[in-house]
């Protein structure tokens, strides 16, 4: 391997995200002009915006970019693209086109780094059936890459955060722990298998997972990224006005991640995510600190968190086992309707 991109970055991947509580402080001070065609805007904390352009068609738009999450440029490009496409999938959309957002250090101008990153991104766009239209690049001391993605969706097929209903089960479609694994790879503590397992998971598209969410009547759906499982679950609980339970032992995780969390390989975002969720989560006494931290670990290109009617969840899991290459599990349940979102983390399912 000629370059190690981790030598160029401070915070990696979605761990570099601006803390959620700061973002909501900014947005609540600004009056956002509406439009009759604006179907999903910033107020529901959803994954992507949705704008209706005809009776049958809406645009789904999102942008995501971040510092390196893998050591080699090609893998970084694949993961950055899978991560950017994910917000379109999380809304139930079909990606159509993308624009690259590039911050490039001047010392990389002559190298093949950006070419390899772009190659990785294009391979993932092709897998998604989308095309790269162009992009914008600036010189910047720290490398960053990502995509602005446009997708389409039928107005009656939008998967947002707002419909989770008491009784629904929660499904997670990828293992947790990319944040701590990236820290461990950076620190030279992860072995090759652990690194490959995380890279494999992060570069997997949420395309098939979204297909399953649509097919089995998901009531709410989001992808688990920078705010961690509990941060994104909290946003769903808030938008749907429900309380939920998460069953720790059921949550799929990458190998070694509890040890990493126990060693304190945690990014600043882990603490910011805990602060963001605050009093809205209650942990049972038998949930250890490392286990709690893992639930706040910022994920890069994480899986979908899908709320589904109870009677459809088993069939959805079986379909997922046949179709998905990542472990997919029922990880919790929507328990009550309530204005103040509440989450309870239990060791195992009832
Ligand atoms: Co998202
Ligand atoms: Co996003």
């Amino acid at each position: 391997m000629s370059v190690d991109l981790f030598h160029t970055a401070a915070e990696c991947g979605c761990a570099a995200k601006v803390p959620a509580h700061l973002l909501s402080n900014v947005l609540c001070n600004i009056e956002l002009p509406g439009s009759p065609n604006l179907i999903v805007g910033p107020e529901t904390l959803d994954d992507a915006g949705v704008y209706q352009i005809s009776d049958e068609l809406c645009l789904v738009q999102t942008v995501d970019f971040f510092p390196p999450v893998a050591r080699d440029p090609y893998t970084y490009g694949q993961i950055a693209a899978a991560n950017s496409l994910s917000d379109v999938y999380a809304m139930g959309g079909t990606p159509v086109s993308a624009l690259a957002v590039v911050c490039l250090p001047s010392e990389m101008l002559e190298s093949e780094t950006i070419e390899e990153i772009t190659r990785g991104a294009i391979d993932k766009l092709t897998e998604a059936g989308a095309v790269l239209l162009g992009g914008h690049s600036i010189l910047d001391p720290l490398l960053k890459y990502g995509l602005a993605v446009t997708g389409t969706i039928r107005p009656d097929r939008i998967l947002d955060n707002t419909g989770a209903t008491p009784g629904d089960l929660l499904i997670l479609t990828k293992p947790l722990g990319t944040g701590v694994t990236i820290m461990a790879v950076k620190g030279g503590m992860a072995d090759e298998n652990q690194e490959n397992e995380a890279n494999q998971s992060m570069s997997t598209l949420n395309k098939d997972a979204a297909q399953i969410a649509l097919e089995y009547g998901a009531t709410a759906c989001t992808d688990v990224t920078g705010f961690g499982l509990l941060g994104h679950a909290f946003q769903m609980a808030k938008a749907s006005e429900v309380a939920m339970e998460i069953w720790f032992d059921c949550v799929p995780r990458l190998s070694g991640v509890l040890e990493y969390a126990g060693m304190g390989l945690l990014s600043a975002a882990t603490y910011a995510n805990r602060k963001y969720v605050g009093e809205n989560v209650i942990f049972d006494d038998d949930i250890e600190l490392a286990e709690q931290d893992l639930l706040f670990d910022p994920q890069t290109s994480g899986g979908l968190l899908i709320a589904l009617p109870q009677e459809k969840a088993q069939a959805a899991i079986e379909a997922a086992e046949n179709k998905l290459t990542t472990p997919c599990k029922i990880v919790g349940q929507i328990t009550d309707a309530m204005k103040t979102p509440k989450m309870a983390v239990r060791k195992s399912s009832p």
Side-chain angles (χ1 to χ4, degrees), residues 97-298:
S97 65
L99 297 166
V101 181
V102 186
C103 301
L104 192 66
S106 49
E107 64 270 21
M108 287 186 189
L109 279 174
E110 302 291 318
S111 75
E112 283 167 12
T113 307
I114 191 61
E115 192 183 320
E116 280 302 300
I117 294 171
T118 307
R119 207 185 299 281
I122 286 177
D123 282 355
K124 281 291 148 183
L125 283 170
T126 305
E127 191 184 328
V131 291
L132 187 69
L133 298 182
H136 185 73
S137 50
I138 57 163
L139 288 172
D140 189 279
L142 290 176
L143 178 64
K144 297 167 205 88
Y145 187 87
L147 300 173
V149 182
T150 299
T152 56
I153 192 170
R154 269 180 25 208
D156 58 339
R157 299 266 281 177
I158 299 167
L159 288 176
D160 63 13
N161 263 341
T162 62
T165 309
D168 285 356
L169 290 169
L170 290 164
I171 287 178
L172 179 65
T173 69
K174 281 189 190 181
L176 279 195
T178 66
V180 289
T181 304
I182 291 167
M183 298 280 279
V185 172
K186 242 181 127 178
M189 273 170 275
D191 64 33
E192 212 183 307
N193 288 337
Q194 289 168 321
E195 184 177 356
N196 289 341
E197 187 192 2
N199 285 346
Q200 199 64 48
S201 178
M202 289 188 285
S203 58
T204 299
L205 292 182
N206 279 329
K207 185 181 182 181
D208 292 339
Q211 194 51 47
I212 287 167
L214 285 167
E215 216 166 293
Y216 291 89
T219 54
C221 179
T222 189
D223 59 343
V224 177
T225 55
F227 304 137
L229 177 61
L230 288 179
H232 289 280
F234 173 56
Q235 293 182 334
M236 182 186 282
K238 201 169 168 180
S240 296
E241 301 186 340
V242 292
M244 60 172 72
E245 278 183 11
I246 300 290
W247 308 321
F248 183 82
D249 284 346
C250 303
V251 177
R253 51 181 189 257
L254 295 166
S255 40
V257 292
L258 274 181
E259 290 80 74
Y260 299 148
M263 288 158 74
L265 288 177
L266 305 169
S267 55
T270 308
Y271 301 98
N273 291 341
R274 186 186 279 271
K275 190 172 165 195
Y276 170 56
V277 175
E279 308 281 293
N280 298 90
V281 63
I282 293 161
F283 294 96
D284 275 3
D285 290 342
D286 53 355
I287 309 291
E288 287 169 28
L289 184 61
E291 297 172 338
Q292 297 183 18
D293 286 335
L294 186 64
L295 299 176
F296 290 115
D297 184 47

